[in-house]
Amino acid sequence: MYERKTIPNLNCGLDLIGEVLYGKWKIRLLWFISEGHKRPSELQRKIPDASRRVLNIQLKELEEHELVSKIIYPVVPPKVEYSLTDFGKTLIPVIAAIGNWGEEHEERLRSLILKCLG
């Protein structure tokens, strides 16, 4: 697993939220779990561009930050489900606001991103 070489800067709220949500798929994972997609295979189908390994790493980090909880059912084969913690649920309105902002400025953002890509 990745081992951090530098100590993160945790001096303000933006640093803290960045540290917790840093990861390409974390915001989408939180959103999809909030919508009821709880099994790893469901999350993989919702985010097909992400490898199963990366999703598992990011789910583990979300679990370590107490945003999601993992339930392992004692059946064969093992059944795993994720759900938001009460703490994780507090992020959903923030994620919704960011998503709404992105949709409001979709054309401009898409144009700027494509321009930067060359």
Side-chain angles (χ1 to χ4, degrees), residues 18 20 50 78 84 103 105 112:
V20 171
L84 293 179
E103 288 174 8
H105 302 283
L112 291 168

Side-chain angles (χ1 to χ4, degrees), residues 30-39 42-43 81-82:
L30 289 167
W31 186 258
F32 291 138
I33 292 169
S34 79
E35 290 184 325
H37 302 282
K38 300 181 182 298
R39 305 277 317 272
E42 292 174 312
L43 295 168
E81 287 186 349
Y82 290 92

Side-chain angles (χ1 to χ4, degrees), residues 93-110 112-113:
V94 176
I95 293 169
I98 291 170
N100 289 336
W101 183 85
E103 288 174 8
E104 286 175 27
H105 302 283
E106 180 178 359
E107 287 182 35
R108 183 176 186 177
L109 291 168
R110 184 172 281 119
L112 291 168
I113 291 166

Side-chain angles (χ1 to χ4, degrees), residues 26-92:
K26 285 184 180 179
I27 291 174
R28 291 171 95 188
L29 285 167
L30 289 167
W31 186 258
F32 291 138
I33 292 169
S34 79
E35 290 184 325
H37 302 282
K38 300 181 182 298
R39 305 277 317 272
S41 58
E42 292 174 312
L43 295 168
Q44 180 73 57
R45 280 193 295 278
K46 295 298 280 182
I47 311 173
D49 293 340
S51 73
R52 183 64 156 251
R53 179 182 166 276
V54 169
L55 287 182
N56 286 337
I57 289 169
Q58 293 192 2
L59 284 164
K60 183 175 177 17
E61 290 172 355
L62 290 170
E63 191 178 0
E64 288 170 352
H65 288 119
E66 300 179 1
L67 298 173
V68 300
S69 60
K70 178 181 179 179
I71 302 168
I72 302 172
Y73 294 96
V75 294
V76 178
K79 179 182 173 183
V80 174
E81 287 186 349
Y82 290 92
S83 59
L84 293 179
T85 63
D86 288 340
F87 185 47
K89 289 175 186 175
T90 65
L91 263 175
I92 299 307

